[in-house]
Amino acid sequence: MPVVLPSATSTRLPIAPPRPTSTRPLVPTAALMTAADIITDPDLRAVLDAASLAQQQCDALLSLLAEHPLPTGKNAADSQLSPDVAEGVSTAQKKLHAHLAAVRNQNRKALLSVRSTKHATAEARHEVDTLHLALQNLYYEQRHLESEIKACQGYEHPYQKLPLMPEAEFVEQFPETVESCRDTARKAVSERREKAKDEGGEDVGMEGGDEDAAFEEEVFEDALMKARIEHEHKERLALEEKRQGLLKRKQGLIAENNKRKEDLAKLDESLEKFIEAAKPIEQTFQKEY
C-alpha cells in the first residue's frame, strides 16, 4: 500500500464560534498562534519545516502500521507483514531517517547562525559602546571648551584698565588712523573670503553678509584698540623723556644749590674769622684817653 504523505504546511484546526449564551471569556489570539507564526528567522523556519516533514512522515508510518497490525497470540512469533506492506514500511522508515537527518542538518545550521548572530551582536554592542564613550568624551571636551571660552571672555585684561584716551576723542583727533583701521578690517575680510573660497572651491556667500560684517567690525575694534594703545605708548614715551629731562635739570639745580651752600658756608666761616680778628681793633677804639 503506498504511503501518502501529508502536505508540509501545518494545518490549523477550525475554531468553533462561541455560543451566544456562553459566559466564558474568549480565548486570546496569542494562544492560537503556532510556532510558525511566531518565529520569523529563516534558519529557524527551516528547522521547523524539516521537523514538520519528519512529524508527518512519522504519522504516515504509524498510520501504515496501524492499518496492518501484526497478529497477537500464539502465532505472533511466526507472523510477518506481507511483502508489499514490508516494502512500504521500509520506504517510510528510510524517508523518516532522511527527514531526521535533514532536521539535524538544519538544526546545526541554526546553531551556527545563532553563534554568528551572537558574535555580530557582541561586535555591534562593542562598537556602540565605543561610539557612546567617544560621544561622552566629545561632550566633556565641549563643556571644557565652553568653560574656557567663558573664562577668556570674562578675563580682566590689563589693557582694559589703561587710562586711554576716550574713543570718541581719539576718532576726532586721529581720523586718518581710524580710516587705516577700517581698511585693515576690510582687507582681513577679503583675505578670509579668498581663503575660504580656495579651501572650499566655491564662494562662501554674498559679499557684505551679516557674518562678514560682524567679522569686519571685530577686526576694526581690535585694530582701533591697538592704535589707541600704541598712541598711549607714544604719549607715555614722550612724557617719560620729558620726565627724564626734568629729572636731569633737577639734579643740576640740586648740585648748583649744594655748591652755593658750600660757598655760603665758607663765607660764613671767613666772616666769623674776620669778626674774631676785628675784636682787638674794636677794643682799641673803645678805650678812653
Side-chain angles (χ1 to χ4, degrees), residues 61-102:
L61 179 59
L62 292 175
S63 299
L64 180 60
L65 293 176
E67 291 177 359
H68 302 83
L70 293 175
T72 58
K74 296 180 180 180
N75 298 327
D78 298 334
S79 62
Q80 294 182 356
L81 295 175
S82 62
D84 295 338
V85 175
E87 183 179 358
V89 171
S90 177
T91 303
Q93 288 178 348
K94 291 179 180 179
K95 290 183 179 180
L96 178 60
H97 292 162
H99 287 306
L100 292 176

Coordinates of all heavy atoms in Angstrom, one line a residue, residues 61-102:
L61 N 4.0 6.7 8.8 CA 4.4 5.4 9.2 C 3.6 4.7 10.2 O 3.2 3.5 10.1 CB 5.9 5.5 9.7 CG 6.6 4.2 10.1 CD1 6.6 3.2 9.0 CD2 8.0 4.4 10.6
L62 N 3.1 5.5 11.2 CA 2.3 5.0 12.3 C 0.9 4.6 11.7 O 0.3 3.6 12.0 CB 2.1 6.0 13.4 CG 3.3 6.3 14.2 CD1 3.0 7.4 15.2 CD2 3.8 5.0 15.0
S63 N 0.4 5.4 10.7 CA -0.9 5.1 10.1 C -0.7 3.7 9.3 O -1.7 2.9 9.3 CB -1.3 6.2 9.1 OG -1.5 7.4 9.9
L64 N 0.4 3.6 8.6 CA 0.6 2.4 7.8 C 0.7 1.1 8.7 O 0.1 0.1 8.4 CB 1.9 2.5 7.0 CG 2.3 1.3 6.1 CD1 1.2 1.0 5.1 CD2 3.6 1.5 5.5
L65 N 1.4 1.3 9.9 CA 1.4 0.2 10.8 C 0.1 -0.1 11.5 O -0.2 -1.2 11.8 CB 2.5 0.5 11.9 CG 4.0 0.5 11.4 CD1 4.9 0.9 12.5 CD2 4.4 -0.9 10.8
A66 N -0.7 1.0 11.7 CA -2.0 0.8 12.3 C -2.9 0.1 11.3 O -3.8 -0.7 11.7 CB -2.6 2.1 12.7
E67 N -2.8 0.3 10.0 CA -3.7 -0.3 9.0 C -3.3 -1.8 8.9 O -4.1 -2.6 8.5 CB -3.5 0.4 7.7 CG -4.2 1.8 7.7 CD -4.0 2.5 6.4 OE1 -3.3 1.9 5.5 OE2 -4.4 3.6 6.2
H68 N -2.1 -2.2 9.1 CA -1.6 -3.6 9.0 C -1.0 -4.0 10.3 O 0.3 -4.1 10.4 CB -0.6 -3.7 7.8 CG -1.2 -3.3 6.5 ND1 -1.2 -2.0 6.1 CD2 -1.8 -4.0 5.5 CE1 -1.7 -1.9 4.9 NE2 -2.2 -3.1 4.5
P69 N -1.8 -4.2 11.3 CA -1.2 -4.6 12.6 C -0.7 -6.1 12.6 O -1.2 -6.9 11.8 CB -2.3 -4.4 13.6 CG -3.6 -4.6 12.8 CD -3.2 -4.1 11.4
L70 N 0.3 -6.4 13.4 CA 0.7 -7.7 13.5 C -0.2 -8.5 14.4 O -0.7 -8.0 15.4 CB 2.2 -7.8 14.1 CG 3.3 -7.2 13.2 CD1 4.6 -7.1 13.9 CD2 3.4 -8.0 11.9
P71 N -0.5 -9.8 14.1 CA -1.4 -10.6 14.9 C -0.7 -10.9 16.3 O 0.5 -11.0 16.4 CB -1.6 -11.9 14.1 CG -0.4 -12.0 13.2 CD 0.0 -10.6 12.9
T72 N -1.5 -11.0 17.3 CA -1.1 -11.3 18.6 C -1.6 -12.6 19.0 O -2.5 -13.2 18.5 CB -1.6 -10.2 19.6 OG1 -3.1 -10.2 19.5 CG2 -1.1 -8.8 19.3
G73 N -0.9 -13.2 20.0 CA -1.3 -14.6 20.5 C -0.2 -15.6 20.2 O 1.0 -15.3 20.2
K74 N -0.7 -16.8 20.0 CA 0.3 -17.9 19.8 C 1.1 -17.8 18.5 O 2.2 -18.2 18.4 CB -0.4 -19.3 19.9 CG -1.1 -19.5 21.2 CD -1.7 -20.9 21.2 CE -2.4 -21.2 22.5 NZ -3.1 -22.6 22.6
N75 N 0.4 -17.3 17.5 CA 1.0 -17.2 16.2 C 1.8 -15.9 15.9 O 2.1 -15.5 14.8 CB 0.0 -17.4 15.1 CG -0.6 -18.8 15.1 OD1 0.0 -19.7 15.5 ND2 -1.9 -18.9 14.8
A76 N 2.0 -15.1 17.0 CA 2.6 -13.7 16.9 C 4.0 -13.9 16.4 O 4.5 -13.1 15.7 CB 2.5 -13.0 18.2
A77 N 4.7 -14.9 16.9 CA 6.1 -15.1 16.6 C 6.3 -15.4 15.1 O 7.3 -15.1 14.5 CB 6.8 -16.1 17.5
D78 N 5.4 -16.2 14.6 CA 5.6 -16.6 13.2 C 5.0 -15.7 12.2 O 5.1 -15.9 11.0 CB 4.9 -18.0 13.0 CG 5.6 -19.1 13.9 OD1 6.8 -18.8 14.2 OD2 5.0 -20.0 14.3
S79 N 4.2 -14.7 12.7 CA 3.5 -13.8 11.7 C 4.5 -12.8 11.2 O 5.4 -12.3 11.9 CB 2.3 -13.1 12.4 OG 2.8 -12.3 13.5
Q80 N 4.3 -12.4 9.9 CA 5.1 -11.4 9.3 C 4.2 -10.6 8.4 O 3.2 -11.0 8.0 CB 6.2 -12.1 8.4 CG 7.3 -12.8 9.2 CD 8.4 -13.4 8.3 OE1 8.3 -13.3 7.1 NE2 9.4 -14.0 8.9
L81 N 4.7 -9.4 8.1 CA 4.0 -8.5 7.2 C 4.1 -9.0 5.8 O 5.1 -9.7 5.4 CB 4.5 -7.1 7.3 CG 4.4 -6.4 8.7 CD1 5.0 -5.0 8.6 CD2 2.9 -6.2 9.0
S82 N 3.1 -8.6 5.0 CA 3.2 -9.0 3.6 C 4.3 -8.3 2.9 O 4.8 -7.2 3.4 CB 1.9 -8.7 2.9 OG 1.6 -7.3 3.0
P83 N 4.8 -8.8 1.8 CA 6.0 -8.1 1.1 C 5.7 -6.6 0.8 O 6.5 -5.8 0.9 CB 6.2 -9.0 -0.1 CG 5.7 -10.3 0.3 CD 4.5 -10.1 1.2
D84 N 4.5 -6.4 0.3 CA 4.1 -5.0 -0.1 C 4.1 -4.1 1.1 O 4.7 -3.0 1.1 CB 2.8 -5.0 -0.8 CG 2.8 -5.7 -2.1 OD1 3.9 -5.9 -2.7 OD2 1.7 -6.1 -2.6
V85 N 3.5 -4.6 2.2 CA 3.5 -3.7 3.4 C 4.9 -3.5 4.0 O 5.3 -2.4 4.4 CB 2.5 -4.4 4.4 CG1 2.6 -3.6 5.7 CG2 1.1 -4.5 3.9
A86 N 5.7 -4.6 4.0 CA 7.0 -4.5 4.5 C 7.9 -3.5 3.7 O 8.6 -2.7 4.2 CB 7.7 -5.9 4.5
E87 N 7.6 -3.6 2.3 CA 8.4 -2.7 1.5 C 7.9 -1.2 1.7 O 8.7 -0.3 1.8 CB 8.1 -3.0 0.0 CG 8.9 -2.1 -1.0 CD 8.7 -2.5 -2.4 OE1 7.9 -3.5 -2.6 OE2 9.2 -1.8 -3.3
G88 N 6.6 -1.0 1.9 CA 6.1 0.3 2.3 C 6.7 0.8 3.6 O 7.0 2.0 3.7
V89 N 6.7 -0.1 4.6 CA 7.2 0.3 5.9 C 8.7 0.7 5.8 O 9.2 1.6 6.4 CB 7.0 -0.8 6.9 CG1 7.8 -0.5 8.2 CG2 5.5 -1.0 7.2
S90 N 9.4 -0.1 5.0 CA 10.9 0.1 4.8 C 11.1 1.5 4.1 O 12.0 2.3 4.5 CB 11.5 -1.0 4.0 OG 12.9 -0.7 3.8
T91 N 10.3 1.7 3.1 CA 10.4 3.0 2.4 C 10.1 4.2 3.3 O 10.8 5.2 3.3 CB 9.5 3.0 1.2 OG1 9.8 1.9 0.3 CG2 9.6 4.3 0.4
A92 N 9.0 4.0 4.1 CA 8.6 5.1 5.1 C 9.7 5.3 6.1 O 10.0 6.5 6.5 CB 7.3 4.7 5.7
Q93 N 10.4 4.2 6.6 CA 11.4 4.4 7.5 C 12.6 5.1 6.9 O 13.3 6.0 7.6 CB 11.9 3.0 8.1 CG 10.8 2.4 9.0 CD 11.3 1.0 9.5 OE1 12.2 0.4 8.9 NE2 10.6 0.4 10.5
K94 N 12.9 4.8 5.7 CA 14.1 5.4 5.0 C 13.8 6.9 4.9 O 14.6 7.8 5.1 CB 14.3 4.8 3.7 CG 14.9 3.4 3.8 CD 15.1 2.8 2.4 CE 15.7 1.4 2.5 NZ 15.9 0.8 1.1
K95 N 12.5 7.2 4.5 CA 12.1 8.6 4.3 C 12.2 9.3 5.7 O 12.6 10.5 5.8 CB 10.7 8.7 3.7 CG 10.7 8.4 2.3 CD 9.3 8.6 1.7 CE 9.2 8.2 0.3 NZ 7.8 8.4 -0.3
L96 N 11.8 8.6 6.7 CA 11.8 9.2 8.1 C 13.3 9.5 8.5 O 13.6 10.6 9.0 CB 11.2 8.3 9.1 CG 11.2 8.7 10.6 CD1 10.5 10.1 10.7 CD2 10.5 7.7 11.5
H97 N 14.2 8.5 8.2 CA 15.6 8.7 8.5 C 16.1 9.9 7.8 O 16.9 10.7 8.3 CB 16.4 7.5 8.3 CG 16.0 6.3 9.2 ND1 16.3 5.0 8.9 CD2 15.4 6.3 10.4 CE1 15.9 4.2 9.9 NE2 15.3 5.0 10.8
A98 N 15.7 10.0 6.5 CA 16.2 11.2 5.7 C 15.7 12.5 6.3 O 16.4 13.5 6.4 CB 15.7 11.0 4.2
H99 N 14.4 12.5 6.7 CA 13.9 13.7 7.3 C 14.6 14.1 8.6 O 14.8 15.2 8.9 CB 12.4 13.6 7.5 CG 11.6 13.7 6.2 ND1 11.7 14.7 5.3 CD2 10.6 12.8 5.7 CE1 10.9 14.5 4.3 NE2 10.2 13.3 4.5
L100 N 14.9 13.0 9.4 CA 15.6 13.3 10.7 C 17.0 13.8 10.4 O 17.5 14.7 11.1 CB 15.6 12.0 11.5 CG 14.3 11.5 12.0 CD1 14.5 10.1 12.8 CD2 13.7 12.5 13.0
A101 N 17.6 13.3 9.4 CA 19.0 13.8 9.0 C 18.9 15.3 8.6 O 19.7 16.1 8.9 CB 19.6 13.0 7.9
A102 N 17.8 15.6 7.8 CA 17.6 17.0 7.4 C 17.3 17.9 8.6 O 17.8 19.0 8.7 CB 16.4 17.0 6.4

